[in-house]
Amino acid sequence: MIELLSGPLFKISLLVFTVGLIFRLVQYVRGLDWRLERVAYSHMGKAGVIGAIWSVLTWILPFGTRGWRTQGFATIAFFFFHLGVVICPLFLAGHMVFMKDALGFSFPSLPVAVGDVFAMLGVLGGVMLLARRITLPQVRFLTDRKDIALLALCLLTLVTGMVARFDLFAYDFMLGLHMLSGELILILAPFTKLSHMALFFASRAQLGIDFAVKRGGASRGPAFPW
Amino acid sequence: MPEGILCNRKPINTEEDLKRLLADKGGKQYYEEMKNMEVDVRALQNTLEKTCKSRTRTWLEICAHCSLCADSCFFYKANNRDVEQTPSYKINTTLGEMVRRNGKVDTEFMIRAMDIAWGKCTCCNRCGNYCPHGIDVGVMMSYLRGVLYSQGFCPWEMKIGAGMHRVYRAQMDVTTEDWVDTCQWMEEEGQEQIPSLEIPIDKEDCDIMYVLNAREPKIYPDDVQAAAMLFHIAGEKWTVPSEGWENTSLAMFAGDWQACADNVKAMYSAIERLRPKMVVETECGHAHRASAVEGPYWAGQEDGKAPVPYLHYVEWLANAIRDGKIKIDPAKKIKEPCTLQDSCNYIRNHGLEKHTRYIMSQIAEDFREMEEHGAHNYCCGGGGGMNGIGRYREERDRGLFMKLQQIRETGATLVISPCHNCWDAIRDTMEVYEVHDIKWSFLKPLILDMCIIPDHLKPQDEDEE
Ligand code: HEM
Ligand code: SF4
Ligand code: SF4
Ligand code: SF4
């Protein structure tokens, strides 16, 4: 079972993930229309580029925007969770050994202890997000089953990974479940709101361009005070 | 009944149709007919396929349902944090659902969508500043309005407003003759104070072509006169066009994109005819949005720019004060505590905040910012056409409360509001909440009162005054 999960299934899911997200990005850009959105993409110049970069950067910086600053708990939850789900798959020492094996190359890996911290932050953040989702009326009201399922799936992946890493119990089963849920995330990404892993950058860049070239960039400057 | 006599998918194109719709007081019959109007699903699907592209679809799909946008919406706050006022919820259960069902929706769905698109959102775009994904619900609402309008589901007043633009090229029934008469009347009357005052009509090759809101000639002709006096005092070479003078767009609020485009084109053709170096616009927020921000695109300008620069009144005024064309008498500056209502349409959505700040620094001794201001201001509560829609009066009145609170927190007794909709909303706020110690004003009358009128412009025969 583990062999299947770490071999062909891993490769297939990675393929779906990569091709799927690239396809989504290409479709996004191709679907942009200066007349419909009323944004002069072809005349955006330097201002547009700065606006796009600024819009992405300020929002991936913890407390980098007014939006993040006015939402203390959610902001911490978000950044903890995302440090976990973005850093861990790409840089954990254990993952890199596996990646080298499966794909023939890997990224530089984090010291094991640092990796553990990111994983724990991820779990903590995820639990905070879940708590927020369940307790705050305005979030609960918007939440559908898919939102819970996806968040739970991410948490499951993080938690099973940690249980296996520390060999707490049922090592093989936990490792199997970890791989399965991780691969499920990869496969689902292009088809669900998880596509934001790529489309977040597209959407943020687009709004940055919108404000920089049309909505005030000329007098305010391209960097909108997000 | 597929379509009604008054409520239908056809836009208003003739004076006769307009009068008939106007005669239906409050839209009684109109809304009755709407209840039985069928949705043209085929046409709706076609519209969605052609106009609902990757940006909108991505926004709808990646929304994390995190509700970080909730607090950003003044409606949510003013309604006691009503979860149904969350921007994400408002758009997901309307446009989102419509797209998911690929247009297979019924009349009831459309009416509910209408009640949200016009009754629970002013398209102020504040939520767009607070969504981590950069999802601008205001933009989507505005798009949704267009989709609903194309199916005939639009508030009675909005249908009339768009019809006005189609029939009169103005938001009210002001004909070219009415307009020219008003200019002449205001010119003559104004000459009592400034004998050389002129309101030059259709003068070619001026520096400035002035465009304005039809409500000014129709209801507030003094505002036309004040604008003329200030241009005259500043020594500007200016003119107004006899046609193409209206820069507001109820059509934009209605979602009638064709009428929006036609309106802008009428103005742009006045530019072509008179060749001014720039256009200066009156103190109206959505008018600036419609003619200088979105307008160029409706008119098909690929670079997104109007044929000549469009200056909102605050930008012209800031420049005029800075250049010494308008001199403020220091003794007459505003002494009482005052604050400023930033119009979403040209502040958040067009970056003119530095001009308004400069003006305030020159005219007020005790200027107080609202807590949320500039690009992050809250809507006055009356934007997006809301002020004018009877069906949503209650919703609007509740929304106004946010702004009242903000104003109160500053301790100001005067609110300066260089935007017609904001001005109206603030006036109504004071009425609805029975506030008697706070005044409100446009800039023009204030500036006229405090600027120094050069001696050579004053009436020569001082004794007779
Ligand atoms: C690559 C960079 C990524 C960026 C910039 C990003 C950004 C965002 C943003 C802006 C949100 C919405 C805000 C919020 O809910 O707090 C969000 C939510 C979410 N993201 Fe990401 N994300 C990224 C990668 C990932 C990855 C790799 C995963 C999962 C493996 C993931 C899973 C989630 C989940 C589950 C939510 C919903 C959280 C909730 O339920 O409240 N994200 N992300
Ligand atoms: S619109 Fe943005 S802020 Fe609001 S729920 Fe969706 S992702 Fe969150
Ligand atoms: S555009 Fe303004 S009124 Fe509409 S949902 Fe967003 S914040 Fe609320
Ligand atoms: S009326 Fe004023 S504050 Fe309200 S949306 Fe329009 S510009 Fe903004």
Side-chain angles (χ1 to χ4, degrees), chain B residues 21-39:
Chain B
L21 191 55
L22 272 166
D24 176 30
K25 279 272 163 280
K28 251 183 130 154
Q29 186 189 336
Y30 178 86
Y31 288 122
E32 270 313 309
E33 289 180 6
M34 187 182 284
K35 287 184 196 156
N36 296 312
M37 187 164 66
E38 278 167 17
V39 182

Side-chain angles (χ1 to χ4, degrees), chain A residues 28 66 147 203 214 220 225, chain B residues 54 65 133 294 347 372 376:
Chain A
Y28 181 88
R66 258 178 97 86
D147 297 321
S203 170
K214 178 172 85 164
R220 183 195 287 127
Chain B
S54 65
H65 300 157
H133 277 316
E294 316 288 351
I347 300 289
E372 306 285 328
H376 290 274

Side-chain angles (χ1 to χ4, degrees), chain B residues 378-392:
Chain B
Y378 281 108
C379 174
C380 59
M386 248 213 160
N387 274 337
I389 307 177
R391 188 174 166 100
Y392 310 125

